[in-house]
Amino acid sequence: MDYVNLTSHPIVLNDGRTFPSSGVVARVSSIHSEFVDDLCRQEFGQVENLPDPQEEVRYIVSAMVLSACEGRIDVVAPATGHPDAKRNEKGHILSVPGFVRG
């Protein structure tokens, strides 16, 4: 399986594999409702810069983009919330054990 990193930074797995940014960043717009009792609703618009599916290719995107990619089994995001994700002393992610799918 080939991975194409559509985020703006390298993704490092706990086993040392690194997926450099492809130079193309997938993004999604969002629309927010008015606030009522300090809460608003968020709806996603179209995803930009996401290529069409290709055989044997997975696209690495942000969690926000992943949540907008309903039905795309070839789109994954780093498993930053997994308990095996490695963090530095400030809590920043250093590496992840793998990916999540929407």
Side-chain angles (χ1 to χ4, degrees):
M1 185 65 64
D2 289 325
Y3 288 87
V4 176
N5 182 355
L6 299 177
T7 73
S8 60
H9 49 80
I11 303 298
V12 180
L13 297 187
N14 291 353
D15 66 9
R17 285 183 288 163
T18 300
F19 303 93
S21 177
S22 67
V24 175
V25 178
R27 299 195 183 280
V28 63
S29 62
S30 60
I31 301 165
H32 296 83
S33 70
E34 295 294 321
F35 280 95
V36 176
D37 294 325
D38 301 322
L39 301 171
C40 73
R41 295 190 58 84
Q42 175 177 278
E43 294 182 24
F44 295 115
Q46 294 285 61
V47 175
E48 299 175 359
N49 299 325
L50 181 63
D52 290 333
Q54 294 183 45
E55 235 178 272
E56 298 297 315
V57 175
R58 289 187 181 143
Y59 297 104
I60 304 168
V61 300
S62 69
M64 186 172 176
V65 171
L66 178 64
S67 64
C69 290
E70 201 170 307
R72 289 282 302 260
I73 62 171
D74 61 326
V75 178
V76 298
T80 57
H82 194 280
D84 291 337
K86 306 294 183 199
R87 299 177 180 273
N88 67 15
E89 63 280 349
K90 293 183 178 181
H92 301 138
I93 296 287
L94 299 174
S95 67
V96 293
F99 301 102
V100 295
R101 191 180 342 214

